[in-house]
Amino acid sequence: MTNDDSPLGGAAGGEILRVEGLRKEFPGVVALDGVDFDLRAGEVHVLLGENGAGKSTLIKMLSGAYRPDAGRIVVDGAPVEIRGAGDAQRLGIATIYQEFNLVPELSVGENLALGRPPRRFGLVDTKKMHERARELLARVGVDVDPRTPVGRLGIARMQMVEIAKALALNARVLIMDEPTAVLTTSEVERLFAIVRQLRDQGVAIVFITHHLEEIPQVGDRVTVLRDGRSVTQVPASTPENELVRLMVGRPIDQQYPREPAAPGEPLLRVRGLGRRGAFEDVSFEVRAGEVVGLAGLVGAGRTEVARAIFGADPHDTGEVLVNGRPLPRGDVHAAMEAGLGLVPEDRKGQGLVLGADIAENLGLVTLRRASRGGFVDRAGQRRAAADVAGRLGVRMSGLGQEVRTLSGGNQQKIVIGKWLLADASVLILDEPTRGIDVGAKVEIYQLINSLTASGHAVLMISSDLPEILGMSDRVLVMARGRLAGELAAREATQDSVMALAVSEVEDARVH
Amino acid sequence: GSGGSDGSSAGGSGASGGDIKIGMSVSTLNNPYFVQLRKGAEEEAKKEGVALTVTDAQNDASQQVNQIQNFAGQNMKAIVINPVDSDAAGPAVKAAERSKIPVIAADRGVNGGTVAQTVASDNVEGGRLAAQELAKEMGEKGKVVVLQGVPGTSAARDRGQGFTEGIKAFPNIQVIAQQPADFDRTKGLDVMTNLLQSNPGITGVFAQNDEMALGAVKALGAKAGKEVKVIGFDGTPDGLKAVQDGTLSATVAQQPALLGQQAVQGAVKAAKGEKVEATVAVPVKIVNKDNVAEFAGS
Amino acid sequence: MHVSTDVLNGTAKAARRRHPAAAWLAENGALVALVVLVVGLSLLSGDFLTVTNLLNVGVQAAVTAILAFGVTFVIITGGIDLSVGSVAALSAIVLAWLSTDSGLPWPLAVLVALAVGLVCGLANAALIAYGKLPPFIATLAMLGIARGLALVISQGSPIALPDAVTHLGDTIGDYLPIPVLVMIAMGLITALILGRTYSGRAIYAIGGNEEAARLSGIKVDRQKLITYGLSGLFAAIAGIVLASRLASAQPQAASGYELDAIAAVVIGGASLSGGKGRAFGTFVGALILAVLRNGLNLLSVSAFWQQVVIGVVIALAVLSDTLRRRATT
Amino acid sequence: MHVSTDVLNGTAKAARRRHPAAAWLAENGALVALVVLVVGLSLLSGDFLTVTNLLNVGVQAAVTAILAFGVTFVIITGGIDLSVGSVAALSAIVLAWLSTDSGLPWPLAVLVALAVGLVCGLANAALIAYGKLPPFIATLAMLGIARGLALVISQGSPIALPDAVTHLGDTIGDYLPIPVLVMIAMGLITALILGRTYSGRAIYAIGGNEEAARLSGIKVDRQKLITYGLSGLFAAIAGIVLASRLASAQPQAASGYELDAIAAVVIGGASLSGGKGRAFGTFVGALILAVLRNGLNLLSVSAFWQQVVIGVVIALAVLSDTLRRRATT
Ligand SMILES: Nc1ncnc2c1ncn2[C@@H]1O[C@H](COP(=O)(O)OP(=O)(O)OP(=O)(O)O)[C@@H](O)[C@H]1O
Ligand SMILES: Nc1ncnc2c1ncn2[C@@H]1O[C@H](COP(=O)(O)OP(=O)(O)OP(=O)(O)O)[C@@H](O)[C@H]1O
Ligand SMILES: [Mg+2]
Ligand SMILES: [Mg+2]
């Protein structure tokens, strides 16, 4: 279970890695414009910065995914060139990327050993591979069979597999790009326990997060990036609002600016919704002007319920009514016509056309409405896209930039933005602020406020409990595919929500 | 060995000295028969000292039209066309007509356009001869299967038609199956193998070209030439060799090299503005054990 | 597409402006290859750069180009259509058969022929969208079925076309071959559909990420019907043009053209994994193939070597494009 | 990068608790189609279910199957190889030409022929991995080049094989045709490579998510060389088996086989977008095609209808598989 075969054996404090004046330019964008950064053994070094500040680009140069245009990387006092994943592995650098790098068709075990499977007589030793996988999975506390194809896992479990995969390398530098973005509180705690344990063994850890409250919990030092430059370095104990000021350049007085509106007619009614093996007997309603939060642990079935409501997947029992009219089963188009919208949790797989540009992606949902006699009003669409991109502060070289090349947080803004254009009367948001910086989050919350103020309704799924508590008028909690309870905004606290979320899990869990 | 050893260049142009340029579009070169035809044509061109350009239409009528158009654009003095399809060659020939370039049709005629000369052996007649020869070999009784060429090609059509007509004269001979093997030796082998399963009593095979016939011979093994008589078509070197060996009972020799030679002769004459005969018939001949020696040398 | 706008938020860096011509070239890489090819052939053969010959090239490109325009829709959705050659042949046979054997007036026969192409395409789409068949398998099956039906209807023999239809293969005046006009018209229609219509934009989204398209309210199945339907319809048009050039419908016509059509689309910059592709690129791709064949004929390259040379030039053409693109980024 | 498109669509939980036999069937759907086909043909024709005929089917499947095994590697990486038919022909021609004209001892000639296949495959890979050509274009170019070279070397005529090599087409005793043995051996090798070797697993990773594979330290370019190299090598073996059956190497042999090979792989459950595919599935796919052709011959289906029937049956075979899969989930 422990990492005692780690190659470095606990020498804490010495500098392992340093970068000086790192610069990286992409067509149309200077992503990094002189970054200095150093990393010591046995520390957790947090990288902080707005969406598009250059955090991921920086770590991709440490992992060999990109090559710097200028500047140098020094490891153990000697300048190095990291040309590819192989070089990084030799230097003892392991990376968990912001976007998953798993092979969906292959099993969990195989993914954990990707690129270096155990071999016997020159052949892959599947048995040993799965044994090792089982150990690793136990270490991160994920209960899946190593033979399960990764493609069948939920997004949070995938993240845990990514973490296990990086642990398997026994690296002395571990880079984690927003590992907590899709995790719920309990997984985050488990992850932090692992991180602290590694740190105590002398592993140097680079940690990126947009959850500022995590920084004092796990970090030692913080380097702040702004516009591709490293602006300052502060201890992790720096107060949150000071960090915000350093990062965004201005203070944010209210993190959750929810302005409740008077609830009106129920717009969305879900009655006894169920699908065999996934969820059952889910009933609730969402009224005009309301934000209803949907909380739960990973795998509780929130995403599946949301998709069933929207018609993205069929359901076996129950019905969904929008404005009093029942929706046909499994028909996205009809759901949209009735006024539903869904921001999916998996931006790459379900939210974006990565190869298309920003304008195209933003216009996708409203494409039908912007068409007259089969022809699309592209100029009008472009204007609307420019407007939304401006409101969300998307950092881009222009509306023609390919979405693939946007930073993770900016991609998420596009996914949300296209639904803001759609003017849905009930908007379902599945992990809407995943990977979004504090400044932009407030922007999105304000947009939610203006939606509800104008009589729309929002159903918000989030694994970020403070967000659920801060923005919801009512909180629904799911556990094991059932609605475990409902809390009014006043009575909802971290503890009361968690108590409900684990309620049925406790009963059912035997091991 | 049959190929490779003849040493003629694969290149299209013959002697470069002549100022007469002749274009020739061959229906396909994926078939030894037409390779022979080209060889005869090239040898004749060399002898006459004219520049001959040969293109391969790959059994595609519209590619052939393209090639003829291209020839017209190149100021060829005469064009030899070996039509992929007689009907579809019409527009091609018309295009040449407009440019006042004489056209010689080789091996197949042209419908719907005027050619200066047609040099051909008759596929329908060949089919008839094959039927007679097969009947003779089989003692005018027994069961026959036909291996058909690529469905829809004129060669498959004409040979099939001739054979069907010819075999009617023998009431005791029954055609029990007709299956396509696409002029291909491998397919000939596979289809024949399969037909032997469902029709064990076969005593005769008509293959619409030598390639399929050789495949059938392979499938028949020791039976070929003994219990089962196989007749091919074309008289390719491999086919003639099989006739010599006795595995192939006969083939309908078309003398493709002679055909090519005659066509180029006609083209040169036409190019010089001399008068040419409207048709030149290159004899189709049954080649069997008795006369194979005359052909094998060529 | 790289028009910079003034919506950059405050923190964004000014885009390093690329010269518009360079950007345009990067998007139309195949065009460079075509120009090189044309210049090279002009130098090598005096017959190449004449009006007549260039018109010939246009006529010779027409059928492949029309097929390829249809296939462009399919490839942008991430699919493939192997059946277009066979469907072209079937449509032409139906046209010839109806207007000769059944004595249907030829305009009606033309309509039926177009309908046949459309139906073949819709059948492909139904198998793919509702039967969940891989497009490769569905259209491979259709390749056999349509070719077989063409043979069955024609009994394996070519059927002469009515004279009226034959004129579709003619040249108006000295310099306006109808096949070229049809090709250009189909190209413009393709560009219009892809660039301006709802279906066109939806097709790109489906090819880029089918799930995202579906969750954005696009009826993916219906758009696939339209896509493959268009491909079938274009194939029928190509078949009629082809038959009119030959004055007869051939059951074996256009066999193997599917690979040429797909090659034209891919040379033109589309990706077989979907989401990319343009009418102009496809047009250039089809021209490259036609110029190449024409040039090799003019240069009297031996038949056996022609296949080798065509293979090498296609590889080089696309190679130069990808390498140049890598160099500029 | 569709890591999680079907992540949350609920098929997962149902699939997790399925009967092992049902799970096995879902993975080997084509087998059901094959069984149905065999039963159907046995009822329709008394000649079908005999030992001799089944051996015939095996022999007739051999070349396609061997080609398809090679193509399986390529398709799992998300690529495609259109050149295998041509490469098979070229290798066979080289073998025959060297051992007759140049008088090379035949074992040496066989080695050279295999090397030719390998080199063709590596050339494809180099164009794809280093030249960044789409696999479709690179291998389409090679299709032309290899076929052209086969024609050039052979002057367009078949070349007889030396007797020693011809025995490769023979049957040992009454029931052991060597082509079938070679096919089975190649199938086992394919299964072993795919299932148990580093390269095999790497190939799946590349097809599933090339970027993830690269970032995990897999040398993607090198693995592509291996993949296409194997495909070329397998094609050479198929070419030799084919030529040995005919006792002569034909320049036009195996043309069009690439589509059959790809169809066999896809019928066997692989996906052209990569990451999926198995040796056994491919084997079943090749058998389906061979059984179908054999059965149609036995039933004496008319030439014109054969293509229609083959198309319909292929569509139905894969359709039954996809529909059943949908019903069980
Ligand atoms: N391949 C690329 N091509 C063009 N631009 C790119 C590319 N990769 C990154 N960029 C740009 O570089 C900038 C920095 O991106 P990066 O991903 O490093 O941001 P980040 O700090 O990780 O942001 P986030 O918090 O949203 O993940 C962004 O403006 C992004 O659009
Ligand atoms: N025991 C399990 N083994 C493997 N996968 C599981 C298991 N339980 C749940 N899952 C995965 O979790 C998903 C169901 O949870 P869902 O994603 O709908 O819930 P959620 O509350 O939104 O959680 P998440 O935060 O992961 O999205 C299923 O798609 C399934 O793949
Ligand atoms: Mg990032
Ligand atoms: Mg979820």
PDB file of all heavy atoms in Angstrom, chain D residues 216-238:
ATOM      1  N   SER D 216       1.506   8.395 -22.687  1.00  0.00           N
ATOM      2  CA  SER D 216       1.892   7.330 -21.772  1.00  0.00           C
ATOM      3  C   SER D 216       3.237   6.748 -22.159  1.00  0.00           C
ATOM      4  O   SER D 216       3.628   5.706 -21.646  1.00  0.00           O
ATOM      5  CB  SER D 216       0.851   6.216 -21.783  1.00  0.00           C
ATOM      6  OG  SER D 216      -0.397   6.740 -21.441  1.00  0.00           O
ATOM      7  N   GLY D 217       3.898   7.381 -23.089  1.00  0.00           N
ATOM      8  CA  GLY D 217       5.234   6.938 -23.442  1.00  0.00           C
ATOM      9  C   GLY D 217       5.287   5.900 -24.550  1.00  0.00           C
ATOM     10  O   GLY D 217       6.345   5.369 -24.849  1.00  0.00           O
ATOM     11  N   ILE D 218       4.139   5.601 -25.159  1.00  0.00           N
ATOM     12  CA  ILE D 218       4.165   4.672 -26.281  1.00  0.00           C
ATOM     13  C   ILE D 218       4.696   5.398 -27.509  1.00  0.00           C
ATOM     14  O   ILE D 218       4.265   6.505 -27.814  1.00  0.00           O
ATOM     15  CB  ILE D 218       2.753   4.111 -26.551  1.00  0.00           C
ATOM     16  CG1 ILE D 218       2.324   3.212 -25.384  1.00  0.00           C
ATOM     17  CG2 ILE D 218       2.718   3.342 -27.855  1.00  0.00           C
ATOM     18  CD1 ILE D 218       0.890   2.756 -25.461  1.00  0.00           C
ATOM     19  N   LYS D 219       5.662   4.776 -28.184  1.00  0.00           N
ATOM     20  CA  LYS D 219       6.208   5.417 -29.389  1.00  0.00           C
ATOM     21  C   LYS D 219       5.268   5.138 -30.546  1.00  0.00           C
ATOM     22  O   LYS D 219       5.357   4.108 -31.221  1.00  0.00           O
ATOM     23  CB  LYS D 219       7.600   4.887 -29.668  1.00  0.00           C
ATOM     24  CG  LYS D 219       8.545   5.319 -28.562  1.00  0.00           C
ATOM     25  CD  LYS D 219       9.983   5.072 -28.908  1.00  0.00           C
ATOM     26  CE  LYS D 219      10.852   5.777 -27.883  1.00  0.00           C
ATOM     27  NZ  LYS D 219      12.080   5.025 -27.581  1.00  0.00           N
ATOM     28  N   VAL D 220       4.361   6.057 -30.756  1.00  0.00           N
ATOM     29  CA  VAL D 220       3.261   5.819 -31.686  1.00  0.00           C
ATOM     30  C   VAL D 220       3.779   5.567 -33.096  1.00  0.00           C
ATOM     31  O   VAL D 220       3.335   4.651 -33.784  1.00  0.00           O
ATOM     32  CB  VAL D 220       2.281   7.017 -31.657  1.00  0.00           C
ATOM     33  CG1 VAL D 220       1.247   6.873 -32.739  1.00  0.00           C
ATOM     34  CG2 VAL D 220       1.604   7.093 -30.297  1.00  0.00           C
ATOM     35  N   ASP D 221       4.753   6.360 -33.518  1.00  0.00           N
ATOM     36  CA  ASP D 221       5.264   6.190 -34.881  1.00  0.00           C
ATOM     37  C   ASP D 221       5.863   4.805 -35.076  1.00  0.00           C
ATOM     38  O   ASP D 221       5.614   4.137 -36.079  1.00  0.00           O
ATOM     39  CB  ASP D 221       6.302   7.265 -35.190  1.00  0.00           C
ATOM     40  CG  ASP D 221       5.667   8.635 -35.307  1.00  0.00           C
ATOM     41  OD1 ASP D 221       4.423   8.688 -35.397  1.00  0.00           O
ATOM     42  OD2 ASP D 221       6.391   9.643 -35.301  1.00  0.00           O
ATOM     43  N   ARG D 222       6.642   4.387 -34.081  1.00  0.00           N
ATOM     44  CA  ARG D 222       7.268   3.077 -34.220  1.00  0.00           C
ATOM     45  C   ARG D 222       6.204   1.979 -34.274  1.00  0.00           C
ATOM     46  O   ARG D 222       6.304   1.036 -35.060  1.00  0.00           O
ATOM     47  CB  ARG D 222       8.218   2.832 -33.050  1.00  0.00           C
ATOM     48  CG  ARG D 222       8.914   1.486 -33.179  1.00  0.00           C
ATOM     49  CD  ARG D 222       9.624   1.102 -31.914  1.00  0.00           C
ATOM     50  NE  ARG D 222      10.749   1.987 -31.652  1.00  0.00           N
ATOM     51  CZ  ARG D 222      11.513   1.872 -30.564  1.00  0.00           C
ATOM     52  NH1 ARG D 222      11.262   0.936 -29.673  1.00  0.00           N
ATOM     53  NH2 ARG D 222      12.509   2.705 -30.359  1.00  0.00           N
ATOM     54  N   GLN D 223       5.182   2.108 -33.446  1.00  0.00           N
ATOM     55  CA  GLN D 223       4.135   1.092 -33.457  1.00  0.00           C
ATOM     56  C   GLN D 223       3.386   1.087 -34.781  1.00  0.00           C
ATOM     57  O   GLN D 223       2.920   0.047 -35.240  1.00  0.00           O
ATOM     58  CB  GLN D 223       3.155   1.303 -32.303  1.00  0.00           C
ATOM     59  CG  GLN D 223       3.775   1.102 -30.916  1.00  0.00           C
ATOM     60  CD  GLN D 223       4.443  -0.247 -30.756  1.00  0.00           C
ATOM     61  OE1 GLN D 223       3.993  -1.246 -31.316  1.00  0.00           O
ATOM     62  NE2 GLN D 223       5.542  -0.285 -30.019  1.00  0.00           N
ATOM     63  N   LYS D 224       3.277   2.244 -35.407  1.00  0.00           N
ATOM     64  CA  LYS D 224       2.615   2.265 -36.722  1.00  0.00           C
ATOM     65  C   LYS D 224       3.468   1.558 -37.760  1.00  0.00           C
ATOM     66  O   LYS D 224       2.944   0.874 -38.644  1.00  0.00           O
ATOM     67  CB  LYS D 224       2.329   3.701 -37.139  1.00  0.00           C
ATOM     68  CG  LYS D 224       1.131   4.269 -36.407  1.00  0.00           C
ATOM     69  CD  LYS D 224       0.645   5.550 -37.019  1.00  0.00           C
ATOM     70  CE  LYS D 224      -0.577   6.042 -36.261  1.00  0.00           C
ATOM     71  NZ  LYS D 224      -0.879   7.442 -36.545  1.00  0.00           N
ATOM     72  N   LEU D 225       4.776   1.734 -37.665  1.00  0.00           N
ATOM     73  CA  LEU D 225       5.654   0.992 -38.577  1.00  0.00           C
ATOM     74  C   LEU D 225       5.405  -0.504 -38.420  1.00  0.00           C
ATOM     75  O   LEU D 225       5.261  -1.238 -39.401  1.00  0.00           O
ATOM     76  CB  LEU D 225       7.119   1.309 -38.275  1.00  0.00           C
ATOM     77  CG  LEU D 225       7.644   2.651 -38.790  1.00  0.00           C
ATOM     78  CD1 LEU D 225       9.052   2.906 -38.284  1.00  0.00           C
ATOM     79  CD2 LEU D 225       7.649   2.670 -40.317  1.00  0.00           C
ATOM     80  N   ILE D 226       5.336  -0.946 -37.172  1.00  0.00           N
ATOM     81  CA  ILE D 226       5.106  -2.369 -36.929  1.00  0.00           C
ATOM     82  C   ILE D 226       3.758  -2.792 -37.502  1.00  0.00           C
ATOM     83  O   ILE D 226       3.632  -3.804 -38.191  1.00  0.00           O
ATOM     84  CB  ILE D 226       5.177  -2.662 -35.408  1.00  0.00           C
ATOM     85  CG1 ILE D 226       6.605  -2.412 -34.917  1.00  0.00           C
ATOM     86  CG2 ILE D 226       4.726  -4.077 -35.104  1.00  0.00           C
ATOM     87  CD1 ILE D 226       6.797  -2.623 -33.427  1.00  0.00           C
ATOM     88  N   THR D 227       2.733  -1.970 -37.234  1.00  0.00           N
ATOM     89  CA  THR D 227       1.385  -2.309 -37.676  1.00  0.00           C
ATOM     90  C   THR D 227       1.294  -2.486 -39.187  1.00  0.00           C
ATOM     91  O   THR D 227       0.854  -3.523 -39.689  1.00  0.00           O
ATOM     92  CB  THR D 227       0.421  -1.178 -37.265  1.00  0.00           C
ATOM     93  OG1 THR D 227       0.545  -0.961 -35.866  1.00  0.00           O
ATOM     94  CG2 THR D 227      -0.995  -1.542 -37.603  1.00  0.00           C
ATOM     95  N   TYR D 228       1.713  -1.460 -39.914  1.00  0.00           N
ATOM     96  CA  TYR D 228       1.595  -1.545 -41.370  1.00  0.00           C
ATOM     97  C   TYR D 228       2.598  -2.546 -41.934  1.00  0.00           C
ATOM     98  O   TYR D 228       2.344  -3.188 -42.954  1.00  0.00           O
ATOM     99  CB  TYR D 228       1.760  -0.167 -41.998  1.00  0.00           C
ATOM    100  CG  TYR D 228       0.558   0.713 -41.790  1.00  0.00           C
ATOM    101  CD1 TYR D 228       0.414   1.482 -40.643  1.00  0.00           C
ATOM    102  CD2 TYR D 228      -0.466   0.730 -42.731  1.00  0.00           C
ATOM    103  CE1 TYR D 228      -0.702   2.259 -40.429  1.00  0.00           C
ATOM    104  CE2 TYR D 228      -1.594   1.507 -42.527  1.00  0.00           C
ATOM    105  CZ  TYR D 228      -1.708   2.271 -41.377  1.00  0.00           C
ATOM    106  OH  TYR D 228      -2.824   3.031 -41.176  1.00  0.00           O
ATOM    107  N   GLY D 229       3.725  -2.674 -41.255  1.00  0.00           N
ATOM    108  CA  GLY D 229       4.700  -3.694 -41.667  1.00  0.00           C
ATOM    109  C   GLY D 229       4.073  -5.081 -41.599  1.00  0.00           C
ATOM    110  O   GLY D 229       4.186  -5.878 -42.539  1.00  0.00           O
ATOM    111  N   LEU D 230       3.383  -5.354 -40.513  1.00  0.00           N
ATOM    112  CA  LEU D 230       2.713  -6.653 -40.371  1.00  0.00           C
ATOM    113  C   LEU D 230       1.683  -6.825 -41.476  1.00  0.00           C
ATOM    114  O   LEU D 230       1.574  -7.893 -42.085  1.00  0.00           O
ATOM    115  CB  LEU D 230       2.015  -6.741 -39.010  1.00  0.00           C
ATOM    116  CG  LEU D 230       2.901  -7.090 -37.812  1.00  0.00           C
ATOM    117  CD1 LEU D 230       2.122  -6.945 -36.514  1.00  0.00           C
ATOM    118  CD2 LEU D 230       3.438  -8.505 -37.944  1.00  0.00           C
ATOM    119  N   SER D 231       0.940  -5.772 -41.743  1.00  0.00           N
ATOM    120  CA  SER D 231      -0.090  -5.866 -42.778  1.00  0.00           C
ATOM    121  C   SER D 231       0.548  -6.221 -44.129  1.00  0.00           C
ATOM    122  O   SER D 231       0.055  -7.073 -44.864  1.00  0.00           O
ATOM    123  CB  SER D 231      -0.856  -4.546 -42.858  1.00  0.00           C
ATOM    124  OG  SER D 231      -1.870  -4.635 -43.818  1.00  0.00           O
ATOM    125  N   GLY D 232       1.666  -5.562 -44.440  1.00  0.00           N
ATOM    126  CA  GLY D 232       2.360  -5.848 -45.694  1.00  0.00           C
ATOM    127  C   GLY D 232       2.893  -7.272 -45.725  1.00  0.00           C
ATOM    128  O   GLY D 232       2.778  -7.984 -46.728  1.00  0.00           O
ATOM    129  N   LEU D 233       3.444  -7.692 -44.601  1.00  0.00           N
ATOM    130  CA  LEU D 233       4.000  -9.043 -44.516  1.00  0.00           C
ATOM    131  C   LEU D 233       2.904 -10.084 -44.693  1.00  0.00           C
ATOM    132  O   LEU D 233       3.055 -11.051 -45.459  1.00  0.00           O
ATOM    133  CB  LEU D 233       4.671  -9.199 -43.146  1.00  0.00           C
ATOM    134  CG  LEU D 233       5.524 -10.438 -42.923  1.00  0.00           C
ATOM    135  CD1 LEU D 233       6.710 -10.449 -43.863  1.00  0.00           C
ATOM    136  CD2 LEU D 233       6.008 -10.478 -41.477  1.00  0.00           C
ATOM    137  N   PHE D 234       1.797  -9.876 -44.013  1.00  0.00           N
ATOM    138  CA  PHE D 234       0.676 -10.799 -44.156  1.00  0.00           C
ATOM    139  C   PHE D 234       0.184 -10.819 -45.605  1.00  0.00           C
ATOM    140  O   PHE D 234      -0.185 -11.856 -46.130  1.00  0.00           O
ATOM    141  CB  PHE D 234      -0.465 -10.409 -43.204  1.00  0.00           C
ATOM    142  CG  PHE D 234      -0.306 -10.917 -41.803  1.00  0.00           C
ATOM    143  CD1 PHE D 234       0.896 -10.768 -41.119  1.00  0.00           C
ATOM    144  CD2 PHE D 234      -1.347 -11.566 -41.162  1.00  0.00           C
ATOM    145  CE1 PHE D 234       1.044 -11.240 -39.826  1.00  0.00           C
ATOM    146  CE2 PHE D 234      -1.212 -12.041 -39.861  1.00  0.00           C
ATOM    147  CZ  PHE D 234      -0.014 -11.878 -39.192  1.00  0.00           C
ATOM    148  N   ALA D 235       0.173  -9.651 -46.236  1.00  0.00           N
ATOM    149  CA  ALA D 235      -0.262  -9.594 -47.631  1.00  0.00           C
ATOM    150  C   ALA D 235       0.668 -10.429 -48.499  1.00  0.00           C
ATOM    151  O   ALA D 235       0.215 -11.152 -49.398  1.00  0.00           O
ATOM    152  CB  ALA D 235      -0.298  -8.145 -48.113  1.00  0.00           C
ATOM    153  N   ALA D 236       1.975 -10.341 -48.234  1.00  0.00           N
ATOM    154  CA  ALA D 236       2.924 -11.133 -49.009  1.00  0.00           C
ATOM    155  C   ALA D 236       2.634 -12.620 -48.835  1.00  0.00           C
ATOM    156  O   ALA D 236       2.624 -13.396 -49.811  1.00  0.00           O
ATOM    157  CB  ALA D 236       4.353 -10.815 -48.581  1.00  0.00           C
ATOM    158  N   ILE D 237       2.377 -13.027 -47.591  1.00  0.00           N
ATOM    159  CA  ILE D 237       2.077 -14.440 -47.346  1.00  0.00           C
ATOM    160  C   ILE D 237       0.809 -14.843 -48.098  1.00  0.00           C
ATOM    161  O   ILE D 237       0.757 -15.876 -48.764  1.00  0.00           O
ATOM    162  CB  ILE D 237       1.924 -14.688 -45.832  1.00  0.00           C
ATOM    163  CG1 ILE D 237       3.284 -14.467 -45.155  1.00  0.00           C
ATOM    164  CG2 ILE D 237       1.390 -16.083 -45.560  1.00  0.00           C
ATOM    165  CD1 ILE D 237       3.239 -14.453 -43.650  1.00  0.00           C
ATOM    166  N   ALA D 238      -0.207 -13.986 -48.029  1.00  0.00           N
ATOM    167  CA  ALA D 238      -1.448 -14.274 -48.756  1.00  0.00           C
ATOM    168  C   ALA D 238      -1.170 -14.397 -50.246  1.00  0.00           C
ATOM    169  O   ALA D 238      -1.703 -15.286 -50.923  1.00  0.00           O
ATOM    170  CB  ALA D 238      -2.473 -13.176 -48.496  1.00  0.00           C
TER     171      ALA D 238
END
